[in-house]
Amino acid sequence: MDIIKAYIILSIALFLIGLLGVIVRKNLITVLVSTELMLNGINLALVAADKVLGRVDGQIFAFFVLTVAAAEVAVGLGLIVAIFRLKGYEASHEISQLRD
Amino acid sequence: MEWLIFFILGAWLIISALGTVLAKNPIHVMLFFLSSLLAMAGLFLSLGAELLAGLQLIIYAVAIVVFYVLAITTIPWEKIKRFEGVYKTEILTASPILLVLFLVMSYMVIKGKFAEPSGVVKDNVEAVGRTLFTSYLFPFEVASVILLVAMVGAILLARKEE
């Protein structure tokens, strides 16, 4: 088997582990960390595809994914801290309303 | 040799990712996440993406993890101990479905046809820089605008009400 296929399978495993974390974690901050794991899985697939094709475009896409992940962490943590200040709780099943 | 490095780093990555998802304490979650980021940087190095490995270490392993730890220390955890851990019903339902999904996708990857290796990138950092500032100049600017908007939004959200 080609080693690139092994890398793609590893990236699929990482993505699905991150998805499991998004589904099952109670705490909102750890849900955000699991989202980062999913993004890392995508980055691994992009860079592996890059090695097959002999180009650098996938690495540049991974660079943009990194940028968007940084922005998402900033806004997400700001939201979590604001929700905690406002309501005093931080579990995903208790935040089921958007206003009031 | 390539396979040996792949298996060591891949096992490290999967174990620390599972630890990230299943560990109870948020600080342990952050430590497992940091470990998975280091394994990821090693995998990027073995794939020949040196610039991305360095960016992974600088941006993720330093900036983002420090940001998470800062947010964790903001919140008084002793008050909200009951929010730690995982939902039991959800993990029993989701893990078989995700396992089946993983098997199906792996089967598709193994049976599928891949493109033949065509050409090797010699000087990785130089090639990435040249492509980034010529073909991808406009997306680069858009990314900087996104970062600026995210910074303003985070300041507005986290500000204390007067």
Side-chain angles (χ1 to χ4, degrees):
Chain A
M1 195 170 81
D2 212 356
I3 194 165
I4 298 301
K5 293 187 177 180
Y7 274 107
I8 300 284
I9 289 174
L10 182 65
S11 82
I12 290 171
L14 195 59
F15 185 88
L16 290 178
I17 288 173
L19 187 56
L20 182 71
V22 172
I23 293 171
V24 304
R25 289 306 300 232
K26 277 185 191 169
N27 197 300
L28 275 180
I29 287 183
T30 45
V31 169
L32 214 56
V33 173
S34 305
T35 320
E36 302 288 323
L37 277 184
M38 291 165 78
L39 292 173
N40 269 318
I42 299 300
N43 275 353
L44 188 59
L46 284 171
V47 177
D50 234 4
K51 196 182 183 192
V52 177
L53 295 174
R55 301 175 64 96
V56 292
D57 298 64
Q59 290 177 41
I60 289 171
F61 289 153
F63 174 71
F64 289 137
V65 169
L66 219 70
T67 315
V68 174
E72 173 233 325
V73 166
V75 177
L77 284 179
L79 275 174
I80 289 170
V81 171
I83 286 172
F84 180 76
R85 277 219 190 103
L86 209 63
K87 303 266 187 191
Y89 50 64
E90 205 200 356
S92 42
H93 66 274
E94 285 187 325
I95 299 165
S96 54
Q97 55 189 13
L98 288 179
R99 59 182 296 272
D100 190 15
Chain B
M1 193 60 197
E2 206 181 8
W3 280 98
L4 184 68
I5 294 173
F6 172 78
F7 276 121
I8 292 172
L9 286 176
W12 178 11
L13 182 63
I14 291 298
I15 288 171
S16 40
L18 282 175
T20 308
V21 170
L22 298 177
K24 218 168 167 233
N25 193 328
I27 294 296
H28 295 169
V29 168
M30 288 325 294
L31 287 176
F32 272 119
F33 182 56
L34 190 58
S35 154
S36 79
L37 290 178
L38 296 182
M40 200 72 184
L43 282 171
F44 283 162
L45 273 183
S46 76
L47 275 170
E50 293 93 3
L51 181 64
L52 206 58
L55 284 177
Q56 179 93 4
L57 289 181
I58 293 172
I59 297 180
Y60 261 119
V62 179
I64 291 185
V65 170
V66 167
F67 202 6
Y68 272 117
V69 172
L70 207 66
I72 286 175
T73 51
T74 311
I75 293 168
W77 287 99
E78 62 274 9
K79 269 195 221 158
I80 47 174
K81 278 279 186 214
R82 62 197 176 97
F83 298 148
E84 286 179 356
V86 298
Y87 294 120
K88 294 285 185 299
T89 328
E90 274 83 350
I91 200 169
L92 287 179
T93 319
S95 13
I97 296 174
L98 292 182
L99 190 65
V100 169
L101 211 58
F102 173 70
L103 291 178
V104 169
M105 287 163 92
S106 311
Y107 178 78
M108 281 160 66
V109 167
I110 289 170
K111 288 292 169 192
K113 272 196 181 132
F114 270 55
E116 289 298 313
S118 60
V120 184
V121 179
K122 275 209 189 72
D123 199 345
N124 184 270
V125 179
E126 191 193 339
V128 170
R130 189 179 294 127
T131 317
L132 184 61
F133 288 111
T134 52
S135 315
Y136 291 93
L137 186 60
F138 182 64
F140 182 73
E141 300 289 341
V142 172
S144 60
V145 173
I146 286 174
L147 278 178
L148 178 68
V149 171
M151 190 186 77
V152 174
I155 291 171
L156 280 179
L157 281 171
R159 191 187 50 173
K160 271 202 171 80
E161 291 296 327
E162 298 299 325

